[in-house]
Amino acid sequence: MDNRQKAFAKACDGIIANLKKRNMEGYFYEDSASCVRAILDMIPDGSSISWGGSASVQESGMMDALKNGSYELIDRSLAKTPEEQREIYGRTVMSDYYFMSTNAITYEGELVNIDGNGNRVACLIHGPRHVIIIAGMNKITTTLEGAFERARTMACPPNAVRLDKKTPCAATGKCGNCLSPDCFCNQIVVTRRSGHTGRIKVFLVAEDLGF
């Protein structure tokens, strides 16, 4: 690891301890490959698995590993009609494992997420038996205010470009605090504690992942 990664590894000791206080589990890994292997070891064959849109989960190699595994994958992108979307979402809410990242996480162990339709934050809050969060060291912030700032200024503009949204941030690269039809800063959720022991597991990786 380089010096930045070593410093992150030391910070993770405190973050993991603070997650535990908040009834969440935290884990640290030096790289994505070891993180993916550890997660796969936790998931029984045949488990139902779904996910929210996440560049971090994709970049880590987790999605490829899941698609090559012996699981029941619930993929909302396969829906061809609004009715199918709703049916798949119902199965997603009842899944065994739900994969996502977080837009930001503070040193105190608070998670901050911004969502458009709300399906991702809804599943984080309630529904799937287990929530697996993969977060790179670029997601860490010092304060809760910094987490809001990071989510809106660092995560949303590149996501708007990726999704071809017609928003000010897609055009300018910075948050316009908009109320446009394509706005996907509709739901801003702070997870300060989990009400279910062991349900939310945060995997911290000493790499930059996602936005």
Side-chain angles (χ1 to χ4, degrees):
M1 293 192 294
D2 63 23
N3 290 330
R4 180 172 173 239
Q5 291 170 310
K6 290 176 182 177
F8 174 71
K10 293 178 180 180
C12 281
D13 290 339
I15 296 171
I16 290 168
N18 287 327
L19 285 167
K20 185 176 181 180
K21 292 177 186 176
R22 298 176 184 277
N23 215 26
M24 294 181 276
E25 295 179 10
Y27 304 88
F28 168 77
Y29 294 92
E30 292 186 8
D31 54 63
S32 291
S34 57
C35 176
V36 169
R37 286 195 298 270
I39 293 172
L40 292 177
D41 285 343
M42 294 182 179
I43 303 177
D45 287 350
S47 296
S48 58
I49 296 174
S50 193
W51 54 89
S54 171
S56 297
V57 175
Q58 184 70 44
E59 291 174 11
S60 69
M62 192 74 243
M63 285 309 307
D64 288 337
L66 292 175
K67 290 175 181 178
N68 290 322
S70 301
Y71 312 110
E72 176 194 346
L73 300 185
I74 304 168
D75 187 351
R76 62 178 178 163
S77 70
L78 300 179
K80 296 180 176 61
T81 65
E83 291 74 20
E84 285 187 8
Q85 280 187 330
R86 184 169 176 80
E87 187 272 333
I88 289 174
Y89 181 64
R91 293 168 56 208
T92 295
V93 171
M94 298 299 292
S95 62
D96 295 320
Y97 291 86
Y98 186 80
F99 280 79
M100 59 179 288
S101 188
T102 185
N103 294 131
I105 177 172
T106 70
Y107 285 117
E108 294 299 315
E110 301 148 308
L111 310 176
V112 171
N113 283 282
I114 287 181
D115 212 350
N117 293 324
N119 57 294
R120 184 173 63 99
V121 294
C123 287
L124 168 62
I125 293 169
H126 190 69
R129 292 183 186 276
H130 303 279
V131 176
I132 305 293
I133 295 173
I134 298 175
M137 59 185 178
N138 51 315
K139 301 295 184 77
I140 304 301
T141 65
T142 305
T143 64
L144 191 57
E145 291 75 16
F148 285 121
E149 182 73 9
R150 188 200 181 280
R152 298 194 73 175
T153 63
M154 300 297 291
C156 289
N159 266 315
V161 172
R162 176 176 68 92
L163 298 170
D164 196 27
K165 294 289 186 179
K166 308 305 181 197
T167 59
C169 67
T172 67
K174 62 180 182 179
C175 179
N177 197 32
C178 75
L179 296 173
S180 69
D182 256 7
C183 176
F184 58 15
C185 296
N186 297 329
Q187 315 289 336
I188 303 178
V189 170
V190 178
T191 304
R192 62 175 300 276
R193 183 182 183 275
S194 173
H196 305 279
T197 303
R199 177 176 178 267
I200 298 176
K201 297 176 174 62
V202 181
F203 294 80
L204 300 161
V205 182
E207 296 174 353
D208 286 342
L209 294 172
F211 305 125

